[in-house]
Amino acid sequence: QIQRALRSLSIPLERLHIMKGHMIQDMCKGLSRQTHAQAKVRMLPTYLCSTPNGTEKGSFLVVELCQSQVRILLVTLFGDGNMSPHMVYKIFDLPEGITQGEGEALFDFIAQCVSQFLAETFSSDTSKPEERLPLGFVFPFTCQQTQLDKAELLSWSKGFNCSGVVGEDVVKLLQTAINRQQLCHVDVVALMNDTVGTMMTCSTEGRPCEVAIVADKGSNCCFMAEAYLVETTDETSGRMCVNTEWGCFGDDGTLNDVFTPYDESVDVESYNPGEKRFEKMVGTLYLGEIVRHALIALAAEKAIFVGVNIAVLKEKGVFTMQHIMDIINNEDGISDVKRILEVLGLQPTERDCGRVQQICRAVVGRASTLHATGLAAILSYMCQTRDLETLMVNVGVEGELYTGYPRFEEILMSVSRLLSPECMATLLPSKDGSGRGAAMVTAVALRLAALRREVNEVLSPLRLSRSDLEKVQALMRQEMDQGLGKETNANASVRMLPTYVSHTPDGTERGDFLALDLGGTNFRVLVVHVTEEGISMASEIYVIPAAIMQGTGEALFDHIIDCIIDFQTKQNLVTDTLPLGFTFSFPCKQMGLDKALLLTWTKGFSASGCVGQDVVQLLREAARRKQHLGMQVVALVNDTVGTMMACGYDDPKCEIGLIVGTGTNACYMEEMKNVGTVEGDQGRMCINMEWGAFGDNGCLDHIFTHFDKVVDETTINPGKQRFEKLISGMYLGEIVRQVLLVMTEKQLLFQGKLTPKLQTRDIFKTKFLSTIEVSNGLALRQIRAILSELEIDASFEDSVLLREVCQTVSLRAAQLCAAGLAAVVEKMRENQGVDQLSVTVGVDGTLYKLHPRFSDNLQKTLKDLAPNCNVSFLLSEDGSGKGAALVAAVASRAANAME
Ligand code: ADP
Ligand code: MG
């Protein structure tokens, strides 16, 4: 029978594995918005988003409400890594009956203690502190916290039952009581339970503690969870400490099969039967009771105390944790055990003594094993949600079971290691967790609040209000009108260049076309087959040697023709004369669809004799020189136009083209009667806005920040393309870098340490923003990788702040782009004279395509700024190739129609 009893108290490993799984499930249930209300493991958010980093300093008051006492502490931190805080404290006994009386009386008593403590502590000091004194409140009851300093009491426990407190904000109750004591310089800034205090106190410099277990009368655990997983709060970035309240694990029956009859008896006799099932197996308040019931049951089975009067065991609470400790910590001999049992009023034989000892060991061992199982669940969960292969973490521990039972630590470590081999925990004993920890919590809260204020100060110029955006939209509209007007065009920053493209595709285009793409990353020749079944293409990339790029114009265009001939030969296209569309991504003044004067070379080209010349003519002349008859140049196309045309083939509503890549630009279909710079009022024409230059006349100066000015000054074209420099891929990374420099100087980031790499221009790539901004928190590891490439040693908080900087910069870019587009779609709506416009934007550009939020932010803002326009976005595939061919196709379709 003894063996059976001992076996029932020992839980096999595979059962522990299952239990760990249940615990993880219950944790997820507690964190999820949908299931939180029914969850037994409550997973309460604490609004504590950081652990101490050692820089905290100042004096902090702590009020700790305990079972029968109030403890008031004054903790002074020196910013020395929290190695040696200075503490003074005083303990006040709670008056008889106050725990059952009125809430107001309880809080008034606490406030009086604070008042008395301050009077005594500062009496010798003639200069009573004039500064505000922040206070942390350790309140070890279950609360629904909605801020660090706002917590509604859900229910009393531990013998407390004051009226008028449940459902109230206990921080407010304490602050009000303190104010009644005329202690107006004392601010209650944080409330926490003792578990959180334990975690905080174990953190010292370079050794953050992210899990804490309190193995005491009750049992609880808290840990730093990824904030986005805590769905019961709005916090999504960084981490937040979650108070698991794991004592309630098993209240839905998941522990039933490991419950012994002894546990059942303990539960039935408790004041809350059916609740806190896990706690009743592991809390030291209950371990003596479990032993007592086991002994009663075994005595009834005549396995122990045969012929002994065990009436004394019938009394609840006679067998305490202290008895258990005394019995099991007695390795040599059982004479002490005998004495302890005799003091209790039992007359045990020697064999009885041995058996009692075995039962005690089994009960305490089980409690330790169950703690280990809970810990394993927490560790595995952290490891998974942080997307780590292995987790190294420090675990703070405190409580009677830990300090009283020498094997607790060994069992906790070995069993959790068996259950979660991927995790490496290091135990840190907590010294006075709740007192010192509460001061830490308070200090960290103040540090974070100060940091937040300074961060907001740096970032606020980059944050645009709704009215800022409306103003940008109105300005864009104004510049568009100026650019379109014959007289005003010369002074407009948005040049509104006519393209001589007057139709978008209607799907009836047919034929084979050649396309050239010059001015992007590669020079390409393409053939595009437009058939009833759709469009198919073949293309080849050709190299333009630097010598040719910088040689004569003749040589350059001869080389281009050679490439075309080579391509047509390879593609068996030599016998036909194919229409050719030419995507030429350099600034041109277009005089006709096939007539465009080069204004200036960019991107490393400098071929002589081209600027001011008609580029189409130069290409035609080269063809003549080479006697190549296989092509006929019909159109020269800007890449925005190509994008619009390529998307227009799939969606006839596509009448806008947008590029957000290295640069940014847009085009759209305008009514000819509004285009003052081209003769004729009939029909429509695509206008290449060249909106990147928006603001070059100073109209956007009010939104440029210090960062934008620095970035602009270091470009090859200062003062030019000002709108583009707020939006496009060539600049966003550099803007972020400028913000990082300022934040580091202000000691808000990287501990104020600037690395030479970070001070290098263009080192921070725009593609980093995409990696960093991936929303689900898993990218933190990649953030670290990026930063270590920049030789920056970043803390977790640095990573979170870095992400905020990136988000701010990319959000502004998307919003500005949306303000520009809003002006465009609203103008189109006016042109058509409709209440509601439905239109599609064809988009190209790697920033738009690959950034995780840019397109969403753009579309959301556009919807907001132009609510009467229903705008869809269509990604362009190979706009410059396909688009150029389609311009050629549409031109020949239109020409055929004329004939
Ligand atoms: P282009 O505009 O020259 O035709 P792209 O459309 O490919 O070329 O855009 C290139 C720009 O996209 C680069 O300036 C780079 O900053 C940016 N970029 C590249 N990769 C990413 C990415 N993953 N996320 C955001 N931007 C990117
Ligand atoms: Mg491009």
Side-chain angles (χ1 to χ4, degrees):
Q1 280 127 334
I2 278 289
Q3 288 313 316
R4 193 160 42 76
L6 291 174
R7 245 198 324 277
S8 76
L9 286 167
S10 100
I11 306 170
L13 188 63
E14 61 270 29
R15 186 61 193 76
L16 294 178
H17 268 292
I18 295 169
M19 196 185 296
K20 173 191 154 189
H22 280 152
M23 178 71 98
I24 293 179
Q25 268 171 24
D26 282 10
M27 286 165 57
C28 295
K29 201 169 157 187
L31 288 172
S32 146
R33 205 184 292 280
Q34 284 88 35
T35 51
H36 171 73
Q38 300 97 50
K40 295 297 178 197
V41 178
R42 300 288 301 269
M43 305 297 280
L44 299 170
T46 65
Y47 292 85
L48 191 75
C49 299
S50 181
T51 48
N53 68 1
T55 65
E56 293 79 11
K57 63 176 169 198
S59 291
F60 306 92
L61 258 185
V62 173
V63 169
E64 194 183 354
L65 181 57
C66 311
Q67 196 92 43
S68 56
Q69 296 168 332
V70 176
R71 202 158 66 115
I72 314 286
L73 301 88
L74 184 71
V75 182
T76 306
L77 304 172
F78 299 103
D80 60 352
N82 299 331
M83 301 309 284
S84 52
H86 179 259
M87 294 207 279
V88 280
Y89 70 91
K90 185 167 169 140
I91 291 171
F92 300 84
D93 285 328
L94 285 175
E96 198 72 33
I98 201 167
T99 57
Q100 312 292 320
E102 280 182 25
E104 201 176 291
L106 175 68
F107 285 97
D108 276 338
F109 176 75
I110 297 173
Q112 282 156 18
C113 298
V114 173
S115 177
Q116 194 185 332
F117 174 79
L118 287 179
E120 288 171 14
T121 309
F122 290 105
S123 64
S124 52
D125 240 320
T126 41
S127 59
K128 209 181 164 192
E130 285 308 305
E131 311 111 66
R132 309 204 66 76
L133 196 49
L135 183 152
F137 186 20
V138 183
F139 187 72
F141 303 95
T142 311
C143 288
Q144 182 69 58
Q145 213 158 344
T146 47
Q147 288 169 24
L148 192 55
D149 60 353
K150 199 167 161 58
E152 234 174 64
L153 176 64
L154 292 178
S155 63
W156 286 114
S157 56
K158 304 173 192 177
F160 279 69
N161 197 10
C162 296
S163 60
V165 183
V166 170
E168 296 295 315
D169 175 7
V170 289
V171 173
K172 207 155 137 206
L173 293 177
L174 180 61
Q175 184 72 63
T176 312
I178 283 177
N179 294 348
R180 274 199 292 271
Q181 295 294 320
Q182 315 289 319
L183 299 171
C184 295
H185 64 296
V186 175
D187 293 323
V188 187
V189 300
L191 177 138
M192 74 225 72
N193 78 4
D194 48 344
T195 321
V196 178
T198 299
M199 187 179 86
M200 296 302 267
T201 195
C202 287
S203 285
T204 55
E205 192 177 18
R207 195 190 61 173
C209 174
E210 297 191 283
V211 186
I213 296 178
V214 172
D216 206 62
K217 301 231 167 354
S219 174
N220 197 7
C221 174
C222 69
F223 71 101
M224 295 302 285
E226 305 303 299
Y228 76 98
L229 293 169
V230 189
E231 292 179 6
T232 46
T233 75
D234 295 331
E235 201 63 50
T236 52
S237 75
R239 292 185 182 144
M240 183 185 284
C241 177
V242 170
N243 169 16
T244 63
E245 291 287 340
W246 75 9
C248 297
F249 178 53
D251 288 7
D252 55 359
T254 41
L255 289 175
N256 286 0
D257 61 330
V258 295
F259 252 51
T260 63
Y262 327 128
D263 297 307
E264 295 293 353
S265 305
V266 172
D267 184 44
V268 168
E269 279 187 7
S270 68
Y271 72 97
N272 55 352
E275 287 172 26
K276 300 229 168 189
R277 306 288 297 244
F278 186 67
E279 181 161 292
K280 285 174 187 165
M281 298 174 82
V282 304
T284 58
L285 195 58
Y286 303 98
L287 298 185
E289 284 295 285
I290 301 171
V291 170
R292 185 173 68 85
H293 282 287
L295 297 182
I296 294 173
L298 288 168
E301 290 168 8
K302 307 240 178 294
I304 196 170
F305 299 137
V306 182
V308 173
N309 180 356
I310 59 152
V312 61
L313 283 178
K314 296 277 158 69
E315 193 186 327
K316 196 176 158 188
V318 289
F319 210 91
T320 65
M321 184 61 190
Q322 194 54 53
H323 291 128
I324 296 183
M325 298 299 179
D326 292 345
I327 288 169
I328 58 178
N329 291 344
N330 204 311
E331 299 291 339
D332 27 64
I334 49 173
S335 55
D336 278 359
V337 179
K338 193 166 166 74
R339 194 178 41 75
I340 292 161
L341 292 176
E342 280 169 2
V343 170
L344 272 174
L346 295 161
Q347 301 297 321
T349 63
E350 213 160 272
R351 203 179 60 157
D352 290 340
C353 290
R355 288 184 167 177
V356 170
Q357 203 174 34
Q358 280 179 302
I359 294 291
C360 287
R361 288 211 177 106
V363 167
V364 179
R366 187 185 65 162
S368 309
T369 305
L370 289 175
H371 271 109
T373 308
L375 176 62
I378 303 276
L379 296 179
S380 284
Y381 179 82
M382 287 172 81
C383 189
Q384 274 164 32
T385 54
R386 292 181 183 189
D387 194 26
L388 297 173
E389 269 159 35
T390 56
L391 174 79
M392 305 267 287
V393 73
N394 292 318
V395 179
V397 231
E398 179 154 29
E400 198 178 10
L401 185 60
Y402 169 60
T403 49
Y405 180 45
R407 289 198 58 211
F408 178 79
E409 176 166 348
E410 173 200 329
I411 295 173
L412 191 68
M413 296 316 284
S414 61
V415 175
S416 65
R417 188 100 182 105
L418 274 176
L419 293 174
S420 300
E422 77 280 20
C423 304
M424 250 329 266
T426 307
L427 283 200
L428 304 175
S430 152
K431 284 190 223 91
D432 188 17
S434 23
R436 205 154 66 97
M440 299 283 191
V441 171
T442 313
V444 168
L446 291 179
R447 174 169 64 78
L448 291 183
L451 178 74
R452 180 49 29 205
R453 270 194 305 277
E454 290 194 58
V455 165
N456 284 344
E457 216 166 277
V458 174
L459 291 181
S460 74
L462 290 162
R463 294 189 171 128
L464 299 178
S465 68
R466 157 96 201 211
S467 84
D468 291 332
L469 294 171
E470 280 170 2
K471 196 161 166 204
V472 171
Q473 177 182 348
L475 283 167
M476 175 67 93
R477 173 57 196 266
Q478 201 177 313
E479 291 291 303
M480 285 169 73
D481 289 340
Q482 296 241 323
L484 287 171
K486 196 179 170 72
E487 267 79 48
T488 48
N489 169 270
N491 295 323
S493 66
V494 180
R495 299 184 58 191
M496 305 297 279
L497 301 171
T499 66
Y500 295 87
V501 170
S502 47
H503 299 274
T504 53
D506 66 3
T508 64
E509 297 76 13
R510 299 286 176 267
D512 296 337
F513 303 90
L514 287 174
L516 292 185
D517 178 8
L518 183 69
T521 317
N522 296 304
F523 170 53
R524 297 183 309 155
V525 184
L526 305 91
V527 61
V528 183
H529 310 282
V530 187
T531 68
E532 222 156 308
E533 281 76 47
I535 295 182
S536 61
M537 302 194 289
S539 71
E540 193 134 353
I541 291 173
Y542 290 90
V543 176
I544 301 186
I548 290 187
M549 279 162 79
Q550 287 145 22
T552 66
E554 268 187 27
L556 171 64
F557 283 94
D558 281 351
H559 177 71
I560 291 174
I561 295 295
D562 283 341
C563 296
I564 295 173
I565 294 172
D566 175 74
F567 181 77
Q568 281 185 286
T569 312
K570 280 185 184 155
Q571 297 283 332
N572 279 325
L573 294 169
V574 271
T575 49
D576 309 315
T577 297
L578 295 177
L580 180 145
F582 188 6
T583 300
F584 186 71
S585 308
F586 299 94
C588 286
K589 181 171 166 60
Q590 204 143 358
M591 315 294 283
L593 191 57
D594 61 349
K595 189 171 168 62
L597 309 184
L598 176 63
L599 293 174
T600 169
W601 283 119
T602 56
K603 308 173 202 180
F605 281 79
S606 63
S608 60
C610 299
V611 172
Q613 300 298 305
D614 173 6
V615 179
V616 174
Q617 204 51 39
L618 294 176
L619 187 60
R620 282 179 181 154
E621 280 163 12
R624 202 166 305 133
R625 279 197 297 277
K626 294 269 171 184
Q627 299 182 341
H628 181 53
L629 302 174
M631 53 166 254
Q632 186 197 357
V633 191
V634 291
L636 184 134
V637 187
N638 176 272
D639 55 352
T640 48
V641 182
T643 298
M644 179 185 80
M645 295 298 271
C647 292
Y649 182 79
D650 296 319
D651 179 352
K653 284 214 299 257
C654 182
E655 299 196 331
I656 301 175
L658 172 68
I659 305 266
V660 194
T662 305
T664 182
N665 191 13
C667 70
Y668 73 104
M669 296 303 290
E670 179 57 276
E671 302 300 316
M672 272 299 283
K673 63 176 190 299
N674 295 334
V675 186
T677 49
V678 179
E679 291 296 310
D681 279 351
Q682 291 308 303
R684 307 195 302 160
M685 183 179 284
C686 179
I687 299 295
N688 166 18
M689 295 176 69
E690 289 293 338
W691 82 4
F694 178 37
D696 288 6
N697 57 358
C699 68
L700 289 180
D701 284 2
H702 63 286
I703 63 165
F704 294 141
T705 65
H706 159 79
F707 315 113
D708 301 315
K709 287 171 200 150
V710 176
V711 170
D712 177 49
E713 278 159 19
T714 54
T715 57
I716 52 161
N717 53 351
K720 296 272 158 35
Q721 301 291 97
R722 296 303 301 268
F723 191 55
E724 177 164 274
K725 286 175 187 165
L726 305 175
I727 294 175
S728 73
M730 189 153 178
Y731 308 100
L732 293 193
E734 187 58 12
I735 297 173
V736 166
R737 191 181 71 88
Q738 292 299 337
V739 178
L740 299 185
L741 289 178
V742 167
M743 285 191 164
T744 311
E745 262 161 37
K746 287 184 183 282
Q747 309 275 327
L748 304 176
L749 261 180
F750 313 139
Q751 297 183 302
K753 285 183 213 124
L754 279 179
T755 63
K757 270 222 173 149
L758 189 63
Q759 287 169 292
T760 311
R761 222 180 83 191
D762 291 332
I763 196 97
F764 201 93
K765 304 288 174 213
T766 298
K767 68 172 185 212
F768 293 169
L769 274 74
S770 294
T771 313
I772 288 170
E773 288 187 56
V774 170
S775 59
N776 63 11
L778 296 183
L780 278 169
R781 200 166 42 157
Q782 279 125 293
I783 297 182
R784 290 267 179 91
I786 288 171
L787 287 173
S788 76
E789 210 167 287
L790 300 179
E791 287 159 15
I792 289 169
D793 182 22
S795 70
F796 175 78
E797 281 170 51
D798 288 336
S799 309
V800 173
L801 187 49
L802 172 60
R803 178 156 64 189
E804 185 178 356
V805 173
C806 292
Q807 281 168 350
T808 307
V809 169
S810 76
L811 174 66
R812 183 182 69 149
Q815 286 176 331
L816 286 170
C817 196
L821 267 186
V824 173
V825 293
E826 273 299 307
K827 182 160 202 317
M828 293 175 89
R829 190 173 70 83
E830 269 175 51
N831 287 346
Q832 294 181 21
V834 291
D835 291 336
Q836 201 72 35
L837 175 80
S838 213
V839 70
T840 298
V841 181
V843 204
D844 201 354
T846 305
L847 177 59
Y848 183 93
K849 286 179 173 172
L850 294 191
H851 189 280
R853 294 175 180 218
F854 191 92
S855 60
D856 272 358
N857 287 334
L858 168 60
Q859 291 174 30
K860 237 185 8 239
T861 312
L862 181 58
K863 188 93 224 137
D864 190 38
L865 292 174
N868 295 320
C869 298
N870 183 10
V871 186
S872 328
F873 288 79
L874 193 58
L875 288 184
S876 137
E877 291 157 47
D878 198 3
S880 9
K882 194 166 140 184
L886 282 166
V887 173
V890 171
S892 21
R893 189 194 76 204
N896 290 341
M898 296 258 278
E899 279 167 24

